[in-house]
Amino acid sequence: MSDKNKKKQAQPEQCQEDIRKEEAVEPEEEAVRTEQEEKGGAQEAGEAAQEDQKSGEAPKEEPSGEGTAPLDDRFLRLAAEYDNYRKRTAKEKESIWNDAKADTAAAFLPVYDNLERALKQDTADEAYKKGVEMTMNQLKEILSKLGITEIPALGQPFDPNLHNAVMHVEDESLGENVVAAVFQAGFQCGEKVIRFAMVQVAN
């Protein structure tokens, strides 16, 4: 084979080798470009996110006392309402307790009246008389512990809020509108009258 033919045959082989090299280089360059593009896109996305975050942040304001004023007013109002509720419920409980004591004492007042009548009767049996006195003293002690007191009447000025006048008598030894006699003892629990004293008023 002549030298010319050899050169012609070698040229196509050389071209094919160059083409293969170029094809091998192209994917590498393309991969590098793709990586650079991805990095650039990520960087742009990060910058955009930072800008969005900066633009979305509200301007910081220094705390002021004006914002807490309504809360303080509401708290004070709530505390005052609770204090009033506590006082009102305590007063209601005390009133209920006093009413219960008054009703209980009123149920025992007929026993008191009978014991009082028994003490006014003359008897030769000293043991019987002493027993009645002890029972009466015990009943008075129980009433006193409950806060039940006898209404002062004999010799006191007549008070329509405490006394029930059923008789009138003229007596120069007594002043005007003075209780001359007590027919039935009256009782009260604090300011509450359980039973008015049945009395006789002079002059």
Side-chain angles (χ1 to χ4, degrees):
M1 184 179 294
S2 63
D3 294 335
K4 291 181 180 180
N5 291 333
K6 288 180 179 180
K7 289 180 180 179
K8 288 180 180 178
Q9 186 177 3
Q11 286 178 355
E13 292 178 356
Q14 185 67 32
C15 291
Q16 290 177 359
E17 185 175 356
D18 293 338
I19 291 170
R20 285 196 297 271
K21 288 181 179 179
E22 291 177 358
E23 290 177 352
V25 171
E26 286 178 358
E28 293 179 359
E29 293 177 351
E30 185 177 356
V32 172
R33 286 196 300 272
T34 305
E35 185 177 357
Q36 291 176 351
E37 289 176 357
E38 289 178 355
K39 289 182 178 179
Q43 187 175 0
E44 291 177 359
E47 292 176 355
Q50 290 177 358
E51 291 179 359
D52 293 341
Q53 187 176 3
K54 289 180 180 179
S55 61
E57 287 179 353
K60 294 182 178 180
E61 296 180 356
E62 295 182 358
S64 61
E66 296 178 357
T68 59
L71 294 177
D72 292 341
D73 292 341
R74 289 176 58 187
F75 175 76
L76 292 174
R77 191 179 300 110
L78 182 62
E81 290 178 357
Y82 173 75
D83 188 55
N84 292 335
Y85 168 77
R86 183 178 57 81
K87 291 179 180 178
R88 185 172 62 254
T89 52
K91 188 175 181 179
E92 289 176 355
K93 288 180 180 179
E94 184 179 0
S95 177
I96 292 172
W97 170 237
N98 288 335
D99 291 342
K101 289 192 298 182
D103 293 342
T104 303
F108 283 94
L109 291 183
V111 179
Y112 181 95
D113 296 336
N114 289 332
L115 290 174
E116 191 174 36
R117 293 189 190 98
L119 288 174
K120 290 179 181 179
Q121 299 297 322
D122 294 332
T123 178
D125 192 342
E126 293 296 329
Y128 168 79
K129 184 178 181 179
K130 187 173 181 62
V132 174
E133 289 178 353
M134 292 177 63
T135 305
M136 185 63 161
N137 291 335
Q138 187 176 14
L139 180 57
K140 286 182 177 180
E141 184 179 354
I142 292 173
L143 293 176
S144 178
K145 287 182 179 179
L146 290 174
I148 311 299
T149 58
E150 185 175 350
I151 296 174
L154 186 61
Q156 299 294 321
F158 174 76
D159 186 352
N161 296 320
L162 301 174
H163 307 139
N164 180 23
V166 294
M167 291 184 65
H168 183 269
V169 64
E170 294 291 337
D171 191 341
E172 296 179 357
S173 63
L174 297 174
E176 186 176 0
N177 288 330
V178 174
V179 175
V182 178
F183 302 118
Q184 189 178 60
F187 292 89
Q188 61 183 1
C189 179
E191 299 296 328
K192 180 182 177 63
V193 176
I194 300 174
R195 186 176 72 179
F196 291 93
M198 189 180 300
V199 298
Q200 181 187 52
V201 181
N203 305 323

